[in-house]
């Protein structure tokens, strides 16, 4: 039996890769923004370019966060659609029946 993760998913690999790289850039940019903020708080640097640098890192973090969230939503939508196309009924692979239908089978067994 093969796992869902091992099945080929045409069209989703590029989106997966873009989502991963955007997430990595987001983490790195966030770390840089926090380090620059700590530098601002502790050392109060005075170069003329400094007032644009450390707030810029936070702006870039916000932009990357929005991009990552959009890519992640597209990725989840694609995964759900691929699961439905496989005929599972629902993305998580559970049967697509109601609780009343399932309880009926328990009544018959008793």
């Amino acid at each position: 039996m093969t796992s869902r993760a091992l099945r080929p998913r045409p069209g989703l690999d590029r989106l997966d890769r873009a989502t991963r790289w955007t997430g990595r850039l987001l983490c790195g940019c966030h770390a840089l923004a926090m380090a620059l903020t700590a530098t601002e708080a502790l050392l109060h640097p005075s170069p003329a370019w400094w007032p644009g640098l450390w707030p810029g890192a936070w702006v870039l973090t916000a932009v990357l966060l929005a991009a990552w969230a959009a890519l992640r939503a597209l990725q989840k939508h694609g995964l759900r659609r691929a699961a439905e196309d496989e005929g599972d009924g629902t993305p998580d692979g559970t049967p697509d029946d109601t609780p009343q239908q399932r309880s009926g089978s328990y009544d018959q067994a008793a």
Side-chain angles (χ1 to χ4, degrees), residues 18-31 60-61 64-65:
T19 304
R20 271 195 316 266
W21 275 105
T22 305
R24 290 173 185 157
L25 287 172
L26 172 62
C27 289
C29 188
H30 186 236
L60 183 58
T61 299
L64 285 171
L65 178 62

Side-chain angles (χ1 to χ4, degrees), residues 51-71:
L53 179 67
W54 73 272
W58 284 108
V59 170
L60 183 58
T61 299
V63 168
L64 285 171
L65 178 62
W68 177 83
L71 285 170

